[in-house]
Amino acid sequence: MGEQPVFSLKAHVFQIDPATKRNWIPASKHAVTVSFFYDAGRSVYRIISVGGTKAIINSTITPNMTFTKTSQKFGQWADSRANTVYGLGFATEQQLQQFSEQFKEFKEAARLVRDKSQEKFELLSPGLNISSPQVLSEDRQSPPVLGVNGSSEDKLFRSKSADMEESTEKEQMRKMLSEGSICERNSDAELFSLRDSNTKLVAALHEANSSIDQWKKLLAEYQEETDRLREQVAELEAQSGVSASSEMGSEELTQTVAEMEALIRAKDEEIKILRSKKPDLSELEKEREEACQRMQDLEVKNSELDKRVRTAESALASSQDARSRAESAVQKVIETLDVKIYDLSDLRQNLAKLLEK
C-alpha cells in the first residue's frame, strides 16, 4: 500500500547553512505545501515538501526527533539522517501550533512502532544461556555420554545457534528490503514530481507562446493607432489658424508619439528575448504581469493622446470660428463705409448745386 498524506499546511521552508550552522538558507521562494505522509506497509511517517522540480524536505520522523518553536510563527527540527536542520515559517501562530501537535503525535506513533519492533525482536531472539549452573556442575561431575553424532547438549546448542543466525539473517534481509523500498519510493516520488513539473512547464510554454501572439497583435493594433494619431497631428500642424497653445499641444503629441514608438521597439526586443530563451514559470508570470502593466500604461497614454487631439481639434475649430466672425465683421464695416462714402458723394453734389445757385 502506497503512502498517503494525512496532514498538510503552507509554510516557507528553510535549511541551516552547512558552513556556519547558524544562518538560515531559504529553500523555497514562496510558501509551499508541507505534508505528513504515512506508509501503512512499513508504519513510517515522513515529512515531504516539493518545491519546483525537487523535494526540498524528505524527513523520516523518528522517536528521537524534537520540533522546537523558536518564535510565534517559526519552528525547527534536526534530521540526523539528512545531516541538516529544517526550519518552517508559518503565516499564523495557529498553523505553527497545529504542525507542532501533529509532529508530536506522529513522533509518539513512531516510538510505539519502535517499541513493538523491539519486543518482536526479543521474542524472535532466544537467550544464550542454554544450561543452568546445576546442569553444568553435573556435567563436570559425570561427563555426558557421547552418541554417534555428538552429545545432546551440543546438538541443542547448535540448533539454537542456527536459529539465531537464521533470525539475524532474516532481520538483515528485512532491513535491506526496507532500505530498498525506501529508495524505490523516493525515486518514484522524485519521478512523479519531475513529470508533474515537466507537464506544468510545457503548459506554461504553450501559454507563453499564445500570450506572445496576443501581445504582438495588440502591439500591431497600437502601432496602427499611433500612425493614425500621427496623421491627425500632421493634419493639425498643416492648418494655418492654430494658436500658440495648439502648437505646444502638437509638440507634446509628437513627443508622446515618439515615446510610444520607443516603447513599442522595446517591447519588440522583449518579445525576441522571450522567443530566444525558455523562461522559468515564475519569471514568465512576472514578465507577463509587467507586460500587462505596460499595456495598461500604453492605454492610458493613448486615452490622454485622444483627449489632446480632441482639445487641439476644438481649439482649431474655435480659431476658425473666430476668424470667420472677424472676416464677417470686417465685411460689415466695409459695407458700412461704402454706404457712408456713397452718402458723402451725394452730399457733395448737393453742396455744389447750392453754390452754383
Side-chain angles (χ1 to χ4, degrees), residues 136-241:
L136 289 175
S137 61
E138 292 175 356
D139 291 341
R140 290 194 185 118
Q141 292 175 1
S142 59
V145 179
L146 295 176
V148 178
N149 295 326
S151 67
S152 60
E153 291 182 0
D154 290 340
K155 291 181 180 180
L156 179 62
F157 183 78
R158 285 196 297 269
S159 176
K160 297 287 186 179
S161 300
D163 291 340
M164 288 178 61
E165 291 177 358
E166 184 178 357
S167 176
T168 304
E169 290 178 357
K170 287 182 179 179
E171 289 297 329
Q172 292 178 353
M173 288 295 294
R174 287 176 184 173
K175 185 176 180 181
M176 292 173 62
L177 290 174
S178 176
E179 291 176 354
S181 177
I182 292 173
C183 294
E184 183 179 359
R185 292 181 188 276
N186 291 340
S187 300
D188 292 341
E190 291 179 1
L191 180 61
F192 176 78
S193 175
L194 288 174
R195 287 178 177 175
D196 184 55
S197 301
N198 187 28
T199 303
K200 291 180 180 179
L201 187 58
V202 170
L205 288 175
H206 286 309
E207 183 179 357
N209 290 331
S210 62
S211 299
I212 289 173
D213 294 336
Q214 292 178 358
W215 293 342
K216 288 199 72 175
K217 185 178 179 180
L218 288 173
L219 286 174
E221 293 177 357
Y222 285 136
Q223 183 127 23
E224 292 178 359
E225 184 71 13
T226 303
D227 294 338
R228 185 182 64 80
L229 293 173
R230 188 186 296 168
E231 291 177 358
Q232 291 182 0
V233 171
E235 292 176 359
L236 291 173
E237 290 177 348
Q239 295 179 1
S240 60

Side-chain angles (χ1 to χ4, degrees), residues 80-91:
S80 58
R81 294 183 180 179
N83 194 23
T84 188
V85 179
Y86 294 105
L88 297 180
F90 296 93

Side-chain angles (χ1 to χ4, degrees), residues 3-7 35-39 44-48:
E3 290 180 305
Q4 298 294 331
V6 293
F7 184 77
S35 302
F36 288 92
F37 280 81
Y38 176 64
D39 186 352
V44 172
Y45 290 91
R46 291 199 298 163
I47 303 175
I48 296 177

Side-chain angles (χ1 to χ4, degrees), residues 233 235-253 308 310-323:
V233 171
E235 292 176 359
L236 291 173
E237 290 177 348
Q239 295 179 1
S240 60
V242 181
S243 61
S245 60
S246 299
E247 293 177 357
M248 291 178 62
S250 299
E251 291 177 357
E252 292 178 358
L253 289 175
R308 291 180 180 178
R310 294 192 191 96
T311 303
E313 289 176 350
S314 177
L316 179 62
S318 300
S319 177
Q320 290 178 349
D321 291 338
R323 187 172 64 180

Side-chain angles (χ1 to χ4, degrees), residues 12-28 57 67-71 74-79 84-89:
H12 291 269
V13 180
F14 300 87
Q15 288 188 10
I16 201 71
D17 188 352
T20 63
K21 298 295 184 180
R22 293 181 179 179
N23 301 325
W24 289 107
I25 299 176
S28 61
I57 298 179
F67 183 78
T68 305
K69 293 187 286 186
T70 58
S71 67
F74 192 86
Q76 66 184 48
W77 78 95
D79 189 341
T84 188
V85 179
Y86 294 105
L88 297 180

Side-chain angles (χ1 to χ4, degrees), residues 51-64:
T53 59
K54 63 179 182 179
I56 56 180
I57 298 179
N58 186 1
S59 179
T60 301
I61 299 176
T62 63
N64 298 326

